[in-house]
Amino acid sequence: TGVKTGKMYNINGNYMLGLSQYFSFGFGTIEQFNFGNTTTLDYRHSVDFISENTVTPVKNKVGNLLFSENLELSYKFGSNKITLNGEGRLSHFTSRQINFKDFTACDFRYCIRGDFSLPIGFGISTDFSVYTRRGYSDSLLNKTNFVWNARASYTMLKGQLTLMIDGFDILHNLSNVFYNVNAQARTETYTNVLPRYVMFHAQWKFHKAPKKK
């Protein structure tokens, strides 16, 4: 007849359970070393209606068990600091929908960062990260990316003025992808990537004492 009709359905059953822990402690001479750990365990249960060639929609359920671990170790000497960081995330997706195969995807990130103060007001900060993704149905996602960022700074006028130059994604290898399976068991992929760039900026600190204390 050319007439399209719609109908609203109420549905429930969506919930999320989570458990996490974090601890950090310093050790060594005057606590030069610091170690931190963060562990997260989440379960997300999503419910929605889907149409499987039937007049009445069929309820579908998707479960996502997510486990993540983050470890960080830093070493500080004087005004300099070196940090090692490693993070792993494992996602297991399940559903009883026809033609959906349960799968497990893994994301890993390794990073080393250094912040160094040089003589006569110069400073350098740099970090190098390795991003690895495995287990995704789309082979384009199962890649390893190397990301290098750096900053050089110069402070003058007794610390009031700081000039900085930043280099973001110097190797031009960043690929930031967010992956999700929704309640209809459909895969959603979001890509949010900033192009590599160089930025100059200045920072001025104002110090003004009140007239009355």
Side-chain angles (χ1 to χ4, degrees):
T1 61
V3 177
K4 188 175 182 179
T5 59
K7 184 177 180 180
M8 302 296 295
Y9 292 88
N10 290 324
I11 190 170
N12 55 30
N14 294 285
Y15 63 87
M16 182 177 69
L17 303 174
L19 181 66
S20 64
Q21 70 82 27
Y22 168 77
F23 74 86
S24 175
F25 66 92
F27 60 97
T29 307
I30 61 172
E31 296 189 351
Q32 289 178 311
F33 293 90
N34 188 81
F35 177 77
N37 165 253
T38 303
T39 304
T40 303
L41 179 65
D42 290 331
Y43 178 75
R44 301 172 186 176
H45 186 265
S46 304
V47 182
D48 202 354
F49 283 115
I50 61 174
S51 178
E52 296 181 338
N53 298 322
T54 58
V55 177
T56 303
V58 179
K59 180 182 287 189
N60 186 64
K61 301 176 182 179
V62 173
N64 179 14
L65 182 63
L66 175 65
F67 173 79
S68 65
E69 181 77 17
N70 188 302
L71 300 173
E72 183 174 293
L73 176 65
S74 63
Y75 172 63
K76 187 175 182 180
F77 52 104
S79 55
N80 306 304
K81 186 177 181 181
I82 297 177
T83 304
L84 299 176
N85 181 265
E87 181 179 7
R89 185 178 64 180
L90 183 146
S91 301
H92 181 64
F93 297 93
T94 58
S95 177
R96 295 182 179 180
Q97 182 179 333
I98 301 175
N99 299 325
F100 182 88
K101 293 183 179 180
D102 299 350
F103 71 97
T104 301
C106 302
D107 295 77
F108 301 97
R109 180 180 66 86
Y110 318 97
C111 176
I112 180 170
R113 177 182 176 86
D115 299 284
F116 307 100
S117 295
L118 304 179
I120 62 173
F122 285 96
I124 293 179
S125 298
T126 183
D127 62 84
F128 182 80
S129 302
V130 180
Y131 296 87
T132 302
R133 296 183 296 272
R134 295 292 185 268
Y136 292 101
S137 56
D138 188 350
S139 59
L140 295 177
L141 294 175
N142 298 318
K143 291 184 176 182
T144 299
N145 302 104
F146 303 92
V147 181
W148 178 32
N149 305 316
R151 164 181 288 185
S153 63
Y154 176 64
T155 302
M156 62 182 76
L157 300 179
K158 297 182 180 180
Q160 287 186 302
L161 177 63
T162 301
L163 304 177
M164 291 169 279
I165 178 173
D166 292 339
F168 180 79
D169 190 18
I170 298 173
L171 302 178
H172 201 197
N173 197 231
L174 179 63
S175 179
N176 186 17
V177 178
F178 174 75
Y179 185 97
N180 183 51
V181 176
N182 62 23
Q184 296 180 350
R186 295 178 179 177
T187 301
E188 298 176 338
T189 304
Y190 305 91
T191 303
N192 182 20
V193 179
L194 289 173
R196 61 175 176 173
Y197 64 82
V198 175
M199 181 172 63
F200 300 89
H201 49 116
Q203 177 181 320
W204 179 269
K205 295 181 180 179
F206 295 90
H207 301 280
K208 185 177 180 180
K211 294 181 178 179
K212 295 183 180 180
K213 294 184 180 181

